[in-house]
Amino acid sequence: MSNRDSIKPWYQVHKWTSLICTLFALLLCLTGLPLIFAHEIDHALGYQVEPPALPETGQRANLDDIIADAKTRKPGHAVQFLVGDPDEPDLWSVRLGFTADAPEPSAFYSYDARTGEFLHEYPLRQGFMNVLLRLHVDLFAGLPGMLFLGFMGLLLVISLISGTVLYGYYMRKIRFGSIRRSRSAQVKWLDLHNLLGIVTLVWLLVVSLTGVINTLSVPIFDRWQSTELAEMTAPYRGQPPLAGIVSAQRALDAAGNAAPGMTLGFMAFPGNDFASPHHFVAFMQGATPLTSKLLKPVLIDAQTGKVIAQRDLPGYVSALLVSQPLHFGDYGGLPLKILWAVLDILSIMVLISGLYLWLKKHKVPFETRPGVPMNEKPEATLPISAPKQVDGK
């Protein structure tokens, strides 16, 4: 089999996977660009606030007072989570829902963790950023939309791998990074497409794979809840509902004592899907950039306030937790976010140039294809067009 014959299947794979996923990949890149700076944009729009600057005293407000204040703002609603922020250690947030296990929040309040002062109510399901987030996450279609985008992400990964194979074949006789400016516009677009594709290859693979993992967040947590969490709470199964529960502050203190050196990521209240009717579950996190993204669940008896169990999350959940911030460049502060944004813009150019090459529906002239000797006759070879080009047949 000649080299031409061996490369043809890779071209077919690249062509069809690219055609199927490119528009959705372009949508994800366009919506993902502002989402890289979601935290900064929310601050600029006033959707999030920072605690005021105060002298450091080590003082912490009583969590029960904060919970009581949140309940008075939404009478009849249940507290679902207490949420910490590794980037804002002086900020606590309280999420409420119509019931403890309601899938959607009804309110999200922020408080100064030092004084207990109410700071802000985050506007739920409002604004342009919410539209971008929903488009990026699930196309406003819930779990089916998430899984569909995950499948598009897999096709993009296959397209990237097959495109890399084609690039190696077609660039055998041309210097890396060359753009043949003296050729036709289509050839220049092809060279630009190939060059930017190689430059962004690793980044696109990373964000595509992490994006695919993120689309599986619902089934991943469902599995954890039905296996690991169910196993930890099994001795309490079938017991009557509690008449009362210990204070949230007592539960938080117990979790802190059980996991020294760690801080609270979030704490699920009894009745929530991330806890049980008889328990708080505090998800503790480390202090380093990596360990702050990982969580360790601590199970607390809601009647006695004692720690019942704690264990590390299984690998498949940890993979999800690591992939979520990596997908948006949320590891190295603003410099990494800027790098992510630049690579996102270059990837948009890759996708647009690929669409341009397809829409032109013309083959690159045989003699201009990289890697083809000038004295080789067209009749002697298989007519395979360049990557991302389709002849319409």
Side-chain angles (χ1 to χ4, degrees):
M1 180 182 293
S2 67
N3 288 337
R4 282 283 190 174
D5 291 332
S6 65
I7 206 68
K8 183 177 181 180
W10 286 103
Y11 167 68
Q12 293 296 330
V13 169
H14 183 69
K15 178 179 73 172
W16 290 111
T17 54
S18 299
L19 287 176
I20 294 170
C21 75
T22 292
L23 286 178
F24 294 99
L26 184 58
L27 171 67
L28 292 174
C29 285
L30 289 171
T31 56
L33 184 58
L35 289 175
I36 294 172
F37 302 101
H39 184 75
E40 291 77 9
I41 292 174
D42 275 348
H43 274 283
L45 295 177
Y47 288 173
Q48 289 184 356
V49 297
E50 296 180 2
L54 294 174
E56 183 56 50
T57 64
Q59 175 185 355
R60 281 294 180 266
N62 188 291
L63 179 57
D64 296 325
D65 295 336
I66 292 177
I67 297 299
D69 181 83
K71 287 182 175 179
T72 61
R73 296 177 185 274
K74 281 286 184 182
H77 291 224
V79 177
Q80 297 180 319
F81 300 102
L82 170 71
V83 183
D85 188 339
D87 298 323
E88 296 285 356
D90 295 328
L91 187 70
W92 275 344
S93 299
V94 179
R95 170 175 151 165
L96 294 93
F98 292 104
T99 60
D101 59 350
E104 296 290 337
S106 59
F108 197 84
Y109 299 132
S110 296
Y111 291 85
D112 191 320
R114 300 159 300 180
T115 65
E117 178 185 359
F118 173 78
L119 298 175
H120 185 65
E121 178 180 0
Y122 188 86
L124 299 172
R125 297 177 289 278
Q126 298 179 27
F128 181 63
M129 292 299 291
N130 176 68
V131 174
L132 292 181
L133 180 62
R134 289 296 307 276
L135 283 173
H136 192 85
V137 171
D138 62 8
L139 299 175
F140 288 92
L143 181 58
M146 294 177 67
L147 297 179
F148 174 79
L149 290 177
F151 178 63
M152 292 298 105
L154 283 177
L155 291 181
L156 179 58
V157 170
I158 297 171
S159 174
L160 292 170
I161 294 172
S162 58
T164 303
V165 174
L166 291 172
Y167 182 82
Y169 177 81
Y170 283 108
M171 299 301 289
R172 292 175 303 168
K173 301 296 183 179
I174 190 171
R175 189 174 60 183
F176 174 80
S178 296
I179 297 179
R180 293 165 291 173
R181 302 181 187 277
S182 61
R183 303 290 188 178
S184 66
Q186 188 179 1
V187 173
K188 287 186 285 187
W189 273 94
L190 171 63
D191 289 343
L192 179 65
H193 174 79
N194 288 339
L195 174 60
L196 294 180
I198 288 299
V199 169
T200 59
L201 174 65
V202 174
W203 182 83
L204 267 173
L205 281 173
V206 169
V207 296
S208 298
L209 290 172
T210 54
V212 170
I213 294 173
N214 289 341
T215 62
L216 300 175
S217 60
V218 173
I220 283 175
F221 278 119
D222 282 347
R223 176 168 174 77
W224 177 78
Q225 291 162 348
S226 63
T227 55
E228 301 275 334
L229 181 60
E231 182 180 330
M232 288 193 291
T233 60
Y236 294 80
R237 194 172 301 147
Q239 292 191 7
L242 298 178
I245 62 174
V246 298
S247 71
Q249 183 65 58
R250 185 173 171 182
L252 180 61
D253 291 341
N257 293 332
M262 304 184 79
T263 58
L264 181 71
F266 69 94
M267 184 165 69
F269 279 61
N272 189 270
D273 287 341
F274 283 85
S276 85
H278 302 88
H279 300 90
F280 291 91
V281 177
F283 292 82
M284 310 299 287
Q285 59 192 12
T288 68
L290 176 60
T291 59
S292 66
K293 311 302 180 185
L294 300 174
L295 297 171
K296 182 176 185 177
V298 178
L299 189 70
I300 304 141
D301 190 306
Q303 191 167 32
T304 66
K306 295 181 179 180
V307 171
I308 302 301
Q310 57 179 313
R311 60 174 66 179
D312 294 328
L313 289 171
Y316 62 89
V317 181
S318 296
L320 171 65
L321 296 176
V322 170
S323 70
Q324 286 177 334
L326 182 60
H327 186 71
F328 291 105
D330 193 17
Y331 270 103
L334 188 59
L336 186 60
K337 290 185 176 184
I338 293 174
L339 175 62
W340 246 235
V342 171
L343 291 169
D344 190 301
I345 293 171
L346 293 178
S347 299
I348 291 172
M349 295 174 64
V350 172
L351 296 168
I352 291 176
S353 61
L355 284 174
Y356 168 81
L357 291 169
W358 177 74
L359 291 172
K360 288 292 289 184
K361 294 185 179 179
H362 296 299
K363 294 181 180 180
V364 174
F366 184 85
E367 64 274 9
T368 67
R369 295 175 194 161
V372 178
M374 294 304 295
N375 60 354
E376 187 172 354
K377 297 181 179 180
E379 292 82 358
T381 58
L382 195 65
I384 303 178
S385 56
K388 287 266 186 177
Q389 284 193 260
V390 183
D391 58 11
K393 297 180 181 178

